[in-house]
Amino acid sequence: MFYQEVDEEITLKLLVLTDSQALFQLTDQSRESLREWLGWVDNTKTVDDSRSFIEHTLQVYDDKKGLHAGIMYQHELAGIIGFNSFDWTNKIGKIGYWLATDFQGKGIMSRAVRSLIDYAFSELSLNRVEIRAAYENKKSRAIPERLGFMEEGLIRQAEWLYDHYVDHVVYGMLASEWEAQ
């Protein structure tokens, strides 16, 4: 089971079914802000929806196709981080993340992403980590920019969000670049 201590305040851990209620409450409390950038929010209507998500992520983890973890801040669930997918042939992991409204502005996500990148290169032997964020999503884009990722391009109309398309900015970090930092 994946478990990683980031620092004295933050740990990353695989979610288990008993986390369903906490995950749903966190999602529900931040529904409005999450909905701006995440297309799945309207489909999360009950605790059972959060339970189904956790079941799915555990299967994805078992199949080595991805890794989704809860971000625990001072022992409280604050958000989700993980590799939405792995490309093992090319040694690439694609990171995604979200943080509940009450936990933003504390540096939590930057520390969590940094730790996950360390894990990607040192434990998983990946060669490349990629982060994509909506062009207008300044908070999500600030994370890879702060961590020294290279902005590699723009994917036009990459995602349908409820009633419109959004463009994605692609950021990349290579293992050799991360080691050199």
Side-chain angles (χ1 to χ4, degrees):
M1 291 290 270
F2 175 79
Y3 180 87
Q4 181 146 334
E5 288 188 25
V6 175
D7 57 31
E8 63 282 347
E9 294 183 310
I10 302 168
T11 56
L12 309 179
K13 74 170 195 82
L14 279 185
L15 295 175
V16 293
L17 294 179
T18 54
D19 294 316
S20 300
Q21 181 69 39
L23 178 58
F24 178 74
Q25 286 178 333
L26 196 67
T27 302
D28 205 38
Q29 291 166 355
S30 297
R31 187 172 296 279
E32 188 175 320
S33 64
L34 294 176
R35 189 179 189 279
E36 184 176 6
W37 302 114
L38 300 171
W40 52 262
V41 175
D42 283 1
N43 294 324
T44 304
K45 299 174 184 169
T46 68
V47 173
D48 284 340
D49 295 327
S50 293
R51 182 177 291 109
S52 293
F53 169 75
I54 293 171
E55 287 172 345
H56 171 74
T57 64
L58 291 171
Q59 186 61 57
V60 166
Y61 179 74
D62 285 345
D63 294 343
K64 298 183 179 9
K65 293 181 179 177
L67 184 161
H68 300 82
I71 301 169
M72 308 304 290
Y73 178 72
Q74 298 178 348
H75 308 288
E76 185 179 354
L77 184 62
I80 302 292
I81 190 170
F83 290 100
N84 293 328
S85 65
F86 290 119
D87 173 348
W88 292 112
T89 302
N90 297 301
K91 297 186 177 186
I92 300 170
K94 296 180 180 180
I95 292 180
Y97 45 80
W98 64 266
L99 200 60
T101 309
D102 291 347
F103 295 94
Q104 294 178 10
K106 301 176 189 302
I108 296 169
M109 193 58 77
S110 292
R111 290 182 276 167
V113 172
R114 179 180 283 115
S115 181
L116 196 62
I117 295 166
D118 285 339
Y119 179 79
F121 294 138
S122 66
E123 301 298 320
L124 300 178
S125 299
L126 295 180
N127 180 60
R128 174 182 166 81
V129 170
E130 186 176 295
I131 296 175
R132 294 183 182 196
Y135 178 79
E136 295 293 332
N137 189 342
K138 306 285 189 230
K139 288 181 181 180
S140 283
R141 290 184 57 193
I143 303 299
E145 290 171 1
R146 189 175 299 124
L147 295 176
F149 276 63
M150 179 170 291
E151 184 177 324
E152 298 180 334
L154 180 75
I155 301 174
R156 298 175 305 138
Q157 296 187 2
E159 183 179 18
W160 177 256
L161 285 180
Y162 304 104
D163 62 355
H164 66 287
Y165 284 102
V166 296
D167 298 342
H168 280 186
V169 178
V170 179
Y171 295 92
M173 176 65 71
L174 303 179
S176 59
E177 296 167 337
W178 189 251
E179 290 171 17
Q181 287 189 14

